[in-house]
Amino acid sequence: MRTVLRESFRDIKRHKRSSLLLAIVISSASFLFFIFSSVIYNLGNAEDMWSKQIRVSVFMTEGADPQSLSEQIKGINGVLEVNHISPEQALEILKKRFPDEEVAFSPSSVPGYIEARASIDDVEAVKSSVLKLEGVDDVSLSSSWYKSLKDLIYFSALFSIGIMVFVLSLSVLLVFYAVRIGVMERREEIQLMRLCGATEWRIRSPYVASGLIMGLFGASVGAGLQYVFGSLVDRNLSQFINGWVSLTLSQVLFVYLASIFIGSFGNLMAFVRGADAD
Amino acid sequence: MIHFRSASKIYDNDVFALKGINTHIGKGEFVFVTGSSGAGKSTLLKMIYGGLKPSDGSIEVGGTPVESLDPYKLAILRRQMGIVFQDFKLLWDRTVLENVCLPFSVWGKLTHENKEIAEVMMKKFDIWKYRNEHPHKLSGGEQQKAAICRALVTSPWILIADEPTGNLDPDSAGEVFRMFYEASQKGSTVIFATHNEHLLSLHKGRVIKLDKGRLA
C-alpha cells in the first residue's frame, strides 16, 4: 500500500501539467456539482414549504360570527392555520397591493374575511368542507401560483440534473484523455513492468490511487469554493427562501464520492484503453 | 524445461515468422539462437516469456503451456525469468539503482535485503558508482550491464537475451557475454540470441539456428 501511494504521488509529481489539469477539471466539476445540487436541494425544500402555504380565503354572509366560524374552520381536517382578517386589516392589505387606487377603497366597501392555510393535497377537500358551513358566502383558493411555481421548479431541477450529468460525463472524458496521454507516454515502462513480473493490479493500482487522490483533492477544493460562495449567497437568498442552505453533509458526501469516481474511473478506463496492448 | 511443440507464428499480414518449431531446452543449458535478421529469433524468445502467443502449437515452460496462462499466472511465471534486450529498456527518469531494483519494486518486495543483493551485483559488475545517476550518463556497455543486473538480481531460472551485444563495442560485448556465462554457471538456463560469430566461438553452447522461421 505504501509503495502504491508513493508511486501515485511520484506519478502526480512527474506529470505536473496533466495532474494540474486533472485537479482543475475535478475541482470545477465538484464546484458545479455543489452549485446545482444546492439549487435542486433548496428548490425541493422551498416547494415543500410552499405546498403547505396554499391560501383559502373564506368570505362570510352578513351577520355571520367570524370567531365561531374561525373555530369551525380550524376543526376541519387539513387546515394548518386560521386568521380572521377584519375589514380594517383587509383595507390595509388592499392599500398595500394597489397603492395608486387608494381613493377607490373605503372601510365600508371592504368586507372582512377569514384566511386559512392548507397543503396543496388537502386544499380542495378543505374548500368543499368550508362551503358547507353556515355563514360562508364564498371560498377562493390561491393555488394557481403554486402550480406555475411547481412547473418552474421541476424544469429547473431537470435542467440542473442535465448539467450535472453533462459535467460528470465531460469530467470523466477529460480525465480519460489526460491520463491516456500519460499512459501512452509510459507505455514502454508499463510493458517493462509486465516483463518484470508485475501483476495487472500492481500496474493499475498507482493509477487508481492517483485518481483517488486527485478526486479527494478536487472535491475538497470544490467544497471549499462552495463554502466561500455559499456564505455570500446564503445571506441574500435566505431572505426569499426560508432555510436556504448551500452546503449540506449529504451533498459533501455525494460530491466526494462523485469526485473519487471521476478520478478513479477515468484513470482506470484510460489505463485499460491505453496500455493493454502488450 | 522449455519445450517447443510444433510452434508456429503467423503475423496479421499473413507473414510466417516461425513454422513448426520442435525443440527442447534443458535446465541449466546455455543455448545460442542464431540466424539472419528476420529469421524469427525475437519471435521465438517472445513466445517463451508470453509476449506473443503461438498461432499454432504450444510452448511449455516448466511443463506449463505459456499461451494458456491468464495474466496473473503469466506474471508469476515471468518472475522466474530475466529478460535482456538489445536496446537495454532502462527507465530514463529513474536512477540506475532504481532500474536494477525494478523487479523487486513491482513485486512489492523492495526490502533492505533485496537492495543489498542489488548492491552486491552492481559492485561485482562495477556499476555501483553510478547507482544515483540516471542511465543517460552511462556508456552503452554500462547501460547494458545495468539491464543485465536488473535481469539477474532476482536469480532467475531462465535468462532470455535478445541480441544483448548488438549495440556494443567488442570489449563491452565480451564483458556482457561473461555476465551471462557466469549466470549459466550458477544454474540459470540461458537463451542468448545473437548473430555475433565471435561470441559463438567463445562458448561451446548448443546452437539453435533459424532460417526463415524454420529450424535450420
Side-chain angles (χ1 to χ4, degrees):
Chain A
M1 190 64 191
R2 220 172 49 191
T3 315
V4 169
L5 280 176
R6 199 177 49 220
E7 276 189 29
S8 311
F9 280 113
R10 189 163 62 182
D11 193 52
I12 290 169
K13 244 166 66 181
R14 210 185 290 163
H15 300 99
K16 281 192 193 93
R17 252 188 279 174
S18 61
S19 299
L20 184 69
L21 176 70
L22 291 190
I24 292 171
V25 166
I26 298 177
S27 304
S28 315
S30 59
F31 182 45
L32 284 172
F33 249 99
F34 274 120
I35 289 180
F36 284 100
S37 59
S38 48
V39 167
I40 294 173
Y41 176 79
N42 286 290
L43 286 182
N45 275 356
E47 195 231 299
D48 190 47
M49 186 181 80
W50 287 325
S51 74
K52 291 172 184 141
Q53 298 285 320
I54 307 299
R55 212 167 51 222
V56 181
S57 302
V58 182
F59 298 99
M60 297 166 284
T61 55
E62 236 179 273
D65 176 14
Q67 293 305 324
S68 142
L69 204 54
S70 295
E71 286 305 316
Q72 288 179 66
I73 293 169
K74 222 180 259 182
I76 294 172
N77 203 15
V79 172
L80 301 169
E81 191 187 330
V82 177
N83 287 308
H84 172 227
I85 309 294
S86 67
E88 290 76 22
Q89 287 171 317
L91 182 66
E92 283 307 308
I93 293 168
L94 274 176
K95 278 180 181 173
K96 270 185 195 165
R97 276 192 201 161
F98 308 102
D100 300 334
E101 296 174 39
E102 199 175 327
V103 190
F105 305 122
S106 72
S108 57
S109 65
V110 181
Y113 61 96
I114 295 167
E115 191 179 87
R117 289 190 189 271
S119 78
I120 189 72
D121 299 329
D122 301 327
V123 78
E124 287 297 336
V126 168
K127 183 186 174 182
S128 53
S129 300
V130 171
L131 277 171
K132 285 175 193 161
L133 296 174
E134 202 176 319
V136 173
D137 184 29
D138 193 16
V139 174
S140 83
L141 302 177
S142 60
S143 57
S144 59
W145 66 270
Y146 171 77
K147 280 170 190 157
S148 312
L149 188 79
K150 197 179 173 184
D151 285 345
L152 186 72
I153 288 172
Y154 175 74
F155 285 113
S156 304
L158 213 62
F159 176 74
S160 300
I161 289 170
I163 293 277
M164 280 160 65
V165 169
F166 175 73
V167 166
L168 179 76
S169 316
L170 191 69
S171 310
V172 170
L173 206 71
L174 284 171
V175 170
F176 174 85
Y177 280 110
V179 176
R180 197 171 175 189
I181 291 166
V183 168
M184 295 297 245
E185 279 173 9
R186 294 181 57 194
R187 206 167 176 161
E188 203 164 315
E189 179 183 341
I190 289 165
Q191 284 174 359
L192 189 61
M193 286 168 82
R194 281 192 178 124
L195 294 178
C196 286
T199 58
E200 286 305 298
W201 174 243
R202 175 64 188 78
I203 297 170
R204 285 173 198 197
S205 51
Y207 285 87
V208 178
S210 64
L212 213 115
I213 292 164
M214 300 305 289
L216 287 173
F217 174 78
S220 305
V221 172
L225 285 174
Q226 176 67 0
Y227 180 75
V228 175
F229 178 73
S231 57
L232 296 174
V233 165
D234 283 356
R235 259 175 283 158
N236 299 315
L237 281 179
S238 55
Q239 294 172 10
F240 304 102
I241 301 173
N242 241 349
W244 175 278
V245 190
S246 289
L247 204 61
T248 65
L249 184 65
S250 54
Q251 255 182 307
V252 173
L253 285 176
F254 179 72
V255 170
Y256 266 94
L257 286 176
S259 301
I260 289 170
F261 169 77
I262 292 171
S264 308
F265 185 71
N267 264 10
L268 197 62
M269 285 303 293
F271 181 86
V272 169
R273 294 293 298 273
D276 255 11
D278 205 358
Chain B
M1 175 156 238
I2 301 167
H3 275 280
F4 283 81
R5 298 186 195 281
S6 305
S8 298
K9 180 68 191 174
I10 312 166
Y11 286 111
D12 290 341
N13 51 2
D14 290 338
V15 174
F16 262 101
L18 287 177
K19 202 166 188 180
I21 302 294
N22 279 300
T23 190
H24 168 255
I25 299 168
K27 194 177 173 192
E29 224 183 323
F30 193 116
V31 176
F32 286 109
V33 180
T34 65
S36 54
S37 294
K41 302 189 293 290
S42 296
T43 303
L44 185 114
L45 299 188
K46 279 180 186 171
M47 293 207 295
I48 297 172
Y49 61 76
L52 283 175
K53 284 186 178 182
S55 310
D56 199 15
S58 175
I59 295 102
E60 286 174 15
V61 176
T64 311
V66 182
E67 66 278 1
S68 63
L69 291 175
D70 62 38
Y72 179 77
K73 284 181 180 160
L74 185 62
I76 302 303
L77 178 72
R78 281 175 178 171
R79 293 182 185 187
Q80 318 297 331
M81 299 177 180
I83 307 166
V84 181
F85 301 90
Q86 183 174 1
D87 60 354
F88 324 135
K89 293 204 191 299
L90 294 169
L91 301 176
W92 301 102
D93 58 349
R94 300 197 190 185
T95 64
V96 174
L97 180 61
E98 285 172 330
N99 269 283
V100 172
C101 289
L102 185 72
F104 295 134
S105 173
V106 300
W107 300 358
K109 288 182 179 167
L110 194 57
T111 59
H112 184 68
E113 290 74 25
N114 284 336
K115 277 185 185 167
E116 274 181 357
I117 294 173
E119 182 183 337
V120 169
M121 185 153 292
M122 289 171 78
K123 278 179 176 165
K124 185 177 173 188
F125 295 115
D126 201 25
I127 54 167
W128 178 245
K129 56 190 176 225
Y130 302 122
R131 63 190 176 279
N132 294 322
E133 302 287 354
H134 284 83
H136 65 267
K137 296 229 173 132
L138 277 62
S139 68
E142 287 160 344
Q143 286 182 27
Q144 191 60 298
K145 280 184 185 178
I148 297 168
C149 281
R150 182 183 64 202
L152 291 176
V153 79
T154 58
S155 310
W157 296 352
I158 302 167
L159 199 52
I160 298 166
D162 191 358
E163 305 248 17
T165 57
N167 287 344
L168 304 180
D169 60 75
D171 287 346
S172 301
E175 258 186 283
V176 160
F177 179 76
R178 271 192 295 279
M179 291 170 84
F180 285 97
Y181 182 72
E182 279 182 32
S184 160
Q185 295 296 299
K186 285 180 182 165
S188 291
T189 303
V190 179
I191 303 149
F192 193 105
T194 185
H195 49 235
N196 185 331
E197 294 294 331
H198 175 66
L199 288 181
L200 291 173
S201 67
L202 284 178
H203 180 66
K204 289 190 172 52
R206 183 156 71 96
V207 177
I208 295 175
K209 192 168 168 101
L210 291 170
D211 183 26
K212 291 176 186 165
R214 293 171 190 270
L215 286 178

